[in-house]
Amino acid sequence: MNAHARPLPAVRDDALATLSALGVDLAALAGADVPARSPINGEVIATLRATTPAQVDAAVERAHLAFLDWRRVPAPRRGELVRLFGEELRAAKDHLGRLVALEAGKVTSEGLGEVQEMIDICDFATGLSRQLHGLTIATERPGHRMMETWHPLGVCGVISAFNFPVAVWCWNAALALVCGDPVVWKPSEKTPLTAQGVQAVFEKALARFGDAPAHLSQVIQGGAQVGAALVAHPKVAVLSATGSTAMGRAVAPVLAARFARAILELGGNNAAIVAPSADLELALRGIAFSAMGTAGQRCTTLRRLFVHEDIADALIGRLKAAYASVPVGDPREAGTLLGPLIDQAAYDGMKAALTEAQACGGKVHGGERVDRPGVYVRPALVEMPSQTGPMLRETFAPILYVVRYRDLTEAIALQNATAAGLASSIFSNDVRETELFISDIGSDCGIANVNIGPSGAEIGGAFGGEKETGGGREAGSDSWKAYMRRATNTLNYSRDLPLAQGVKFDV
Ligand code: NAD
């Protein structure tokens, strides 16, 4: 800690004061099943009540009743609620960002950044509420008009992961609400408090809005079983699930069996390629943020690096220095860049991956546990002889595997040779290389960047990935379409009834 800085408040006191400032009534939520821990020191801040299966059912039924009213409200008026929510988020930004730091362990600027992402998607969704456009389509029949119209779909269930405890819900909820769909949210059991903080802020917007139907947004608490009850409910029309590929494997068949809409945002095993023409200074900064930011606990975290052999020694040398000096500590402290891992299981996974990497011939730099309460580690840089072993799977911790390459086509093939397909990037100043990388025969990921790392997306683009990442898209572009049903309308304003394709049926 900076010698002149004020000492940080005790974690539990800090969290309780922040929750109270946000308007969360903890006493009303207290129970025995969902302990809310801060990874900053492992302390339990509060224990909440889990939602029972019967209560999940009741919550979805209430949301469905809200849907029957909300779908009749004009979309721009629905947008007004989201606009007000954005205003309330602006007012609550510091407190909510602090709560993200306290409960998810993100450093202060990332906690605030997550809330900024919520504000950004609210602005986007407010504008969108006047742009839920359909097409007018040329028809082959005279005196006819054909068009597409978009309509509210039904209840939207959201299951979220611990590492983006507030933004992911908002990507879904802001769009769902302007599209006419009430939301039932099952946050991660590792971050139950931030969900209550968000709900308290949302209720302030609801109070200002005035005449919204009750139960437009509800939070249910608990682990996989509570999530499973939401997934199975026949009145959840669209379910957005963010988390591991293992979770997606459990959820997807249940949704498919009842033909529900699925938005799956699952694990990633993201890569970057550094070509000989790259600006190494810029590449170093891009790699450092993408690989070490959020202590390697982003779905888009850079985990695999392919470096051209001509520049490998220079870049790896500088990366080693950055890895050895990056400040690890309390995420609330100014200057900290790496906060804690979420729990002991995350560290166990990291240790197992590093041991396996060594057995595969990998040379490990860093990765040691830092001696302080909570689970803190030095980030690990691992020079691998080839892409093998733990490099082929996602380990949710700050490990960056580095492999040298000679030929770009070979590097792109390596980058695509994993099961996940979320985010990727190339550092190069050669237009032939960069265009190849983002072309039909380049990266197979949902995100393919040039001269920035794979992580840190902004909300204007559609976010998501291919293959075992699940194929879902959230946030910007036309992601809103997943929350609405499309109708094709053909209107006849003639006195005849010509049939399509020249069919005759004269009775
Ligand atoms: P996790 O899979 O353990 O849990 C995610 C959520 O799913 C939690 O709310 C959990 O309770 C719920 N869940 C788990 N099993 C379930 C089941 N069978 N039915 C219903 N719900 C179930 O993931 P985590 O450890 O919280 O988060 C880390 C993972 O999430 C990583 O794999 C990361 O890549 C991924 N992630 C992906 C994205 C994305 O947008 N692609 C974003 C953030 C995190």
Side-chain angles (χ1 to χ4, degrees), residues 18-326:
T18 308
L19 285 162
S20 155
L22 285 164
V24 176
D25 180 4
L26 261 188
L29 303 164
D33 323 292
V34 187
R37 275 197 181 78
S38 173
I40 294 178
N41 61 0
E43 196 179 357
V44 174
I45 295 162
T47 306
L48 308 192
R49 243 186 345 266
T51 310
T52 65
Q55 288 167 338
V56 174
D57 181 56
V60 176
E61 291 293 344
R62 285 193 298 266
H64 183 70
L65 285 179
F67 168 66
L68 299 180
D69 283 345
W70 192 235
R71 65 182 178 170
R72 302 162 70 104
V73 175
R77 175 80 185 132
R78 298 194 298 250
E80 171 62 6
L81 172 61
V82 174
R83 190 189 69 78
L84 291 171
F85 182 43
E87 279 188 4
E88 293 299 332
L89 284 169
R90 282 178 169 87
K93 182 174 173 181
D94 286 350
H95 287 124
L96 202 51
R98 182 75 162 189
L99 198 55
V100 171
L102 284 156
E103 203 182 29
K106 290 193 175 187
V107 298
T108 301
S109 75
E110 289 191 54
L112 292 171
E114 225 195 297
V115 184
Q116 186 57 46
E117 220 170 318
M118 300 175 81
I119 295 167
D120 293 345
I121 194 75
C122 284
D123 287 355
F124 180 91
T126 302
L128 188 67
S129 70
R130 292 181 185 270
Q131 300 175 78
L132 302 171
H133 297 147
L135 297 172
T136 298
I137 299 160
T139 154
E140 67 191 55
R141 286 171 279 187
H144 283 56
R145 186 161 70 82
M146 186 159 53
M147 63 182 183
E148 274 182 354
T149 48
W150 292 89
H151 308 276
L153 185 63
V155 176
C156 173
V158 177
I159 293 176
S160 57
F162 80 84
N163 66 325
F164 271 88
V166 296
V168 162
W169 171 80
C170 206
W171 289 359
N172 287 283
L175 294 192
L177 288 169
V178 300
C179 289
D181 304 344
V183 180
V184 181
W185 180 17
K186 209 295 284 172
S188 167
E189 59 275 37
K190 295 174 189 170
T191 52
L193 296 178
T194 39
Q196 298 300 340
V198 169
Q199 181 70 4
V201 176
F202 186 73
E203 276 164 17
K204 289 179 193 165
L206 273 176
R208 285 174 64 197
F209 184 78
D211 58 349
H215 311 301
L216 272 186
S217 166
Q218 300 172 80
V219 178
I220 56 176
Q221 294 282 10
Q225 280 182 331
V226 178
L230 186 64
V231 171
H233 200 292
K235 284 193 179 144
V236 174
V238 51
L239 191 286
S240 170
T242 298
S244 57
T245 294
M247 179 275 285
R249 249 187 246 295
V251 159
V254 179
L255 294 171
R258 62 181 190 83
F259 300 101
R261 208 66 82 74
I263 303 171
L264 298 176
E265 300 281 348
L266 310 176
N269 189 1
N270 317 296
I273 295 170
V274 189
S277 68
D279 174 339
L280 284 193
E281 197 58 45
L282 185 145
L284 181 76
R285 287 174 37 223
I287 293 164
F289 169 67
S290 292
M292 294 190 281
T294 327
Q297 301 169 109
R298 281 189 184 220
C299 52
T300 50
T301 290
L302 173 57
R303 307 193 183 282
R304 301 176 294 136
L305 187 66
F306 301 104
V307 188
H308 192 273
E309 57 187 18
D310 288 354
I311 51 162
D313 287 340
L315 182 64
I316 294 170
R318 298 200 48 193
L319 276 172
K320 276 194 226 162
Y323 267 66
S325 62
V326 69

Side-chain angles (χ1 to χ4, degrees), residues 344-474:
Q344 179 65 33
Y347 176 65
D348 295 343
M350 178 172 180
K351 216 167 70 168
L354 292 178
T355 306
E356 197 183 331
Q358 267 167 332
C360 295
K363 199 168 152 202
V364 177
H365 311 279
E368 309 86 7
R369 181 100 184 235
V370 176
D371 185 20
R372 57 181 294 157
V375 184
Y376 292 80
V377 291
R378 300 284 327 159
L381 187 72
V382 186
E383 292 180 82
M384 294 289 283
S386 63
Q387 174 161 268
T388 180
M391 204 174 162
L392 291 164
R393 64 169 192 266
E394 178 192 54
T395 298
F396 221 53
I399 304 176
L400 178 63
Y401 303 103
V402 188
V403 168
R404 294 166 193 242
Y405 80 89
R406 175 181 286 275
D407 169 61
L408 181 61
T409 315
E410 168 214 349
I412 293 174
L414 285 169
Q415 113 90 40
N416 290 342
T418 55
L422 181 52
S424 60
S425 72
I426 186 168
F427 290 90
S428 166
N429 283 331
D430 180 334
V431 72
R432 289 192 180 125
E433 292 185 332
T434 58
E435 289 291 328
L436 177 70
F437 183 73
I438 59 171
S439 76
D440 294 350
I441 56 169
S443 163
D444 65 1
C445 292
I447 296 169
N449 293 337
V450 174
N451 289 331
I452 59 170
S455 87
E458 42 181 292
I459 61 91
F463 181 91
E466 303 303 330
K467 305 191 292 188
E468 289 192 358
T469 302
R473 290 295 186 278
E474 287 175 347

